[in-house]
Amino acid sequence: MGYYINVEPGVNVYVEDINPTGGKTIFFLHGWPANHKMFEYQFNQLPQLGYRCIGMDMRGFGNSDKPWTGYSYDRLADDVRSVVEALKLQNITLGGHSTGGAVAIRYMARHKGYGVAKLALFAAAAPSLIKRPYFPYGLDKEVVLSIIRGTYDDRPKMLREFGDMFFFQYVTQPFAEWFFQLGLQAAGWSTAAVANTWLGEEGLFSDLGRINVPTLIMHGIHDQVVPFPLAEVQKEGIKNSILIPFEYSGHGLFYDEKDKFNRELALFVG
């Protein structure tokens, strides 16, 4: 079941609600530059176990509206709050991949975990995707600047190169093409705007300590996009958290080891 939810005047986001009459709810936030369809292999399996799965396309991506502005972590977290309120969600597990994980963390801090009973982070881009003078982990700033330049100069080429480093396990050419098309569904300006948000000074350092629900951290040890040490920093900063390394995964652990991913997530949700 798919529908649009208004998050601010003139801006609607697309939400897919799978097994809406199911039991416990898992709300998935996708990573950059894809959309909710990246969780296809979770949506195929978890509803069979009785879960209700909700996938939201963040503004600027997938089927959602693509306004010129509104790509800060604060605004994206506020969009999530609008969906939680519109669907009257309670006691959910909020799960986020990569940038979606960063938005989930900001949501927990900014909205005091409204409606959320548990948090699940999948290769989350937090507390900072880039290295900083006081933070030696993450990507070099120049890598992100190159992504932004590539978005403006030749977005398909940039997306193709990003896809080539996304997975650790072998993926077929048809699968790689499908994943590539997910990125093309975004607007170029929103693709660049979110990348600019990674460079912002806000970061998520103070947010980690404000999370007070059980938290599952899953992260591929071969991740070339969000290096594994960031998961260890998350584990140190979030009370009542557990870290599960994925030994045969890169950034796309939801597909590289999809059976383990689905199993561990289901065990955590309960």
Side-chain angles (χ1 to χ4, degrees), residues 22-26 46-53 91-94 117-120 214 216 218 242 261-270:
K24 294 182 178 180
T25 299
I26 310 172
L46 294 172
Q48 294 187 40
L49 302 177
Y51 297 104
R52 177 188 184 187
C53 293
N91 298 316
I92 66 170
T93 296
L94 180 62
K118 294 182 179 181
L119 177 67
L216 171 67
M218 297 193 286
I242 57 173
F261 183 99
N262 293 343
R263 181 174 64 252
E264 295 291 356
L265 183 56
L267 285 171
F268 175 70
V269 176

Side-chain angles (χ1 to χ4, degrees), residues 123-124 126-127 217-220 226-237 241 243-244:
I217 302 165
M218 297 193 286
H219 211 113
V226 179
F228 185 77
L230 270 73
E232 297 174 319
V233 173
Q234 294 163 28
K235 172 68 174 66
E236 292 175 5
S241 63
L243 169 59
I244 299 180

Side-chain angles (χ1 to χ4, degrees), residues 53-74:
C53 293
I54 296 173
M56 164 189 167
D57 287 350
M58 284 190 269
R59 64 166 65 205
F61 298 85
N63 293 326
S64 290
D65 288 346
K66 299 171 175 63
W68 184 250
T69 60
Y71 298 100
S72 68
Y73 288 142
D74 282 354

Side-chain angles (χ1 to χ4, degrees), residues 65-199:
D65 288 346
K66 299 171 175 63
W68 184 250
T69 60
Y71 298 100
S72 68
Y73 288 142
D74 282 354
R75 180 63 254 183
L76 295 173
D78 292 350
D79 290 351
V80 174
R81 173 68 182 254
S82 294
V83 173
V84 171
E85 289 183 342
L87 299 182
K88 298 180 172 59
L89 301 179
Q90 296 178 336
N91 298 316
I92 66 170
T93 296
L94 180 62
H97 175 261
S98 195
T99 298
V103 173
I105 289 170
R106 175 53 53 87
Y107 178 87
M108 296 302 295
R110 181 171 171 84
H111 295 287
K112 300 179 181 178
Y114 179 83
V116 177
K118 294 182 179 181
L119 177 67
L121 303 174
F122 326 133
S128 172
L129 181 60
I130 63 168
K131 296 176 182 176
R132 302 176 187 271
Y134 50 87
F135 188 72
Y137 311 108
L139 302 176
D140 291 329
K141 183 178 180 179
E142 179 55 37
V143 173
V144 175
L145 291 173
S146 177
I147 287 173
I148 295 170
R149 288 194 297 268
T151 300
Y152 288 126
D153 293 340
D154 188 340
R155 187 163 66 103
K157 178 176 180 290
M158 180 278 293
L159 291 174
R160 187 72 76 184
E161 291 172 349
F162 183 72
D164 289 344
M165 63 186 291
F166 201 92
F167 299 99
F168 178 70
Q169 300 284 350
Y170 169 77
V171 297
T172 64
Q173 187 57 43
F175 182 93
E177 184 64 28
W178 168 80
F179 189 73
F180 171 66
Q181 292 296 327
L182 296 186
L184 285 179
Q185 292 173 32
W189 60 85
S190 54
T191 301
V194 170
N196 269 300
T197 295
W198 301 334
L199 299 174

